[in-house]
Amino acid sequence: MEIKITLPLLPLRDIVVFPHMIVRLFVGREKSVRALEEVMKDDKEILLATQIDASEDEPSIDTIYKTGVLANVLQILKLPDGAVKILVEGTKRVQIQSFLQNDNFFEASAIPMDDAVANEEELEALRRSVVEEFDRYSKMSKTIPEEAITAVAEADNPTKLADTVAGHISVSVEKKQALLEEKNLSKRLEECLAFMQGEMSVLRVEKKIKSR
């Protein structure tokens, strides 16, 4: 029996939030502020899903990706201009099944997504490769926060590792969304490796150009 989660939903612009990821978000749109007010009355859980087109001010249910995350609202701060600053932590991947009729804010029903079962030995080999590659990547990138470097170095859970790395690599929103949607854990780790290697090639070329 699938457990359905029905909660207010916050459409995100230009960011994909992964499980185990803690992010600060600025919320200014009325609908989104109302969704947060609703969430704060209850158990402080919210659904987060990214807009397909970030420039859209009033997204519709058709312009929001159907794979998102369930998140806890850790902190909320109302700003003088009516906007809200929040700190959220993604907890699990979800598949949005349907949107509820609600004119005040987005509200959706979603079901948690599980990882596809993978080969243990292959997973362990991939886990080690990703940890080593991320160490190299963070040294070259210089934009990775210290806590992410520590979290990756200590991650013995491949799911958490894939999500932490995915949250900190500099790739497009579309590529991050594809990683969020990928159920196969081995494939997610392979994609993370490929993205890091691609990024490092670009960084090497940039370095060469600068040194000229």
Side-chain angles (χ1 to χ4, degrees), residues 52-118:
I52 294 167
D53 178 2
S55 65
E56 201 175 19
D57 256 340
E58 296 292 331
S60 71
I61 58 175
D62 298 321
T63 57
I64 296 168
Y65 284 112
K66 298 299 178 281
T67 303
V69 291
L70 175 66
N72 288 324
V73 180
L74 305 176
Q75 202 179 40
I76 188 158
L77 183 69
K78 283 207 163 181
L79 303 170
D81 62 359
V84 176
K85 192 160 90 171
I86 59 169
L87 193 66
V88 290
E89 180 177 19
T91 55
K92 54 172 81 108
R93 281 178 164 65
V94 291
Q95 189 70 47
I96 294 160
Q97 302 283 293
S98 60
F99 281 87
L100 281 69
Q101 186 60 47
N102 186 335
D103 296 331
N104 293 321
F105 50 82
F106 287 109
E107 193 175 7
S109 281
I111 52 167
M113 283 166 68
D114 292 322
D115 283 333
V117 179

Side-chain angles (χ1 to χ4, degrees), residues 29-208:
R29 294 185 279 199
E30 255 176 72
K31 248 184 164 178
S32 296
V33 172
R34 286 199 294 262
L36 283 167
E37 283 166 356
E38 186 63 29
V39 162
M40 294 323 281
K41 288 180 202 166
D42 216 17
D43 54 6
K44 300 184 174 52
E45 278 195 315
I46 196 162
L47 296 169
L48 304 174
T50 304
Q51 285 177 214
I52 294 167
D53 178 2
S55 65
E56 201 175 19
D57 256 340
E58 296 292 331
S60 71
I61 58 175
D62 298 321
T63 57
I64 296 168
Y65 284 112
K66 298 299 178 281
T67 303
V69 291
L70 175 66
N72 288 324
V73 180
L74 305 176
Q75 202 179 40
I76 188 158
L77 183 69
K78 283 207 163 181
L79 303 170
D81 62 359
V84 176
K85 192 160 90 171
I86 59 169
L87 193 66
V88 290
E89 180 177 19
T91 55
K92 54 172 81 108
R93 281 178 164 65
V94 291
Q95 189 70 47
I96 294 160
Q97 302 283 293
S98 60
F99 281 87
L100 281 69
Q101 186 60 47
N102 186 335
D103 296 331
N104 293 321
F105 50 82
F106 287 109
E107 193 175 7
S109 281
I111 52 167
M113 283 166 68
D114 292 322
D115 283 333
V117 179
N119 175 307
E120 290 296 319
E121 280 134 15
E122 183 188 25
L123 263 187
E124 180 52 25
L126 276 167
R127 187 193 70 78
R128 287 180 195 178
S129 300
V130 169
V131 170
E132 284 166 17
E133 203 64 32
F134 191 80
D135 182 52
R136 283 194 282 271
Y137 176 67
S138 62
K139 283 176 181 138
M140 275 187 86
S141 168
K142 307 236 185 342
T143 58
I144 313 281
E146 200 54 53
E147 62 268 23
I149 296 168
T150 309
V152 166
E154 291 170 359
D156 47 7
N157 173 334
T159 305
K160 190 174 179 180
L161 173 69
D163 290 332
T164 307
V165 170
H168 287 95
I169 46 181
S170 304
V171 291
S172 68
V173 165
E174 289 76 18
K175 284 178 176 169
K176 288 199 176 194
Q177 182 64 33
L179 278 173
L180 188 70
E181 291 173 11
E182 181 55 69
K183 279 186 168 184
N184 185 315
L185 184 51
S186 294
K187 212 162 172 199
R188 280 212 305 277
L189 288 164
E190 278 169 14
E191 293 278 307
C192 284
L193 265 179
F195 287 152
M196 284 189 288
Q197 285 159 354
E199 264 298 287
M200 286 196 291
S201 301
V202 173
L203 289 167
R204 280 187 202 103
V205 172
E206 275 181 9
K207 209 172 164 186
K208 265 184 194 163

Side-chain angles (χ1 to χ4, degrees), residues 4-23:
K4 242 185 198 178
I5 306 157
T6 302
L7 284 170
L9 178 138
L10 204 60
L12 306 176
R13 296 197 218 216
D14 279 330
I15 184 171
V16 176
V17 176
F18 288 87
H20 315 291
M21 189 174 161
I22 296 177
V23 268

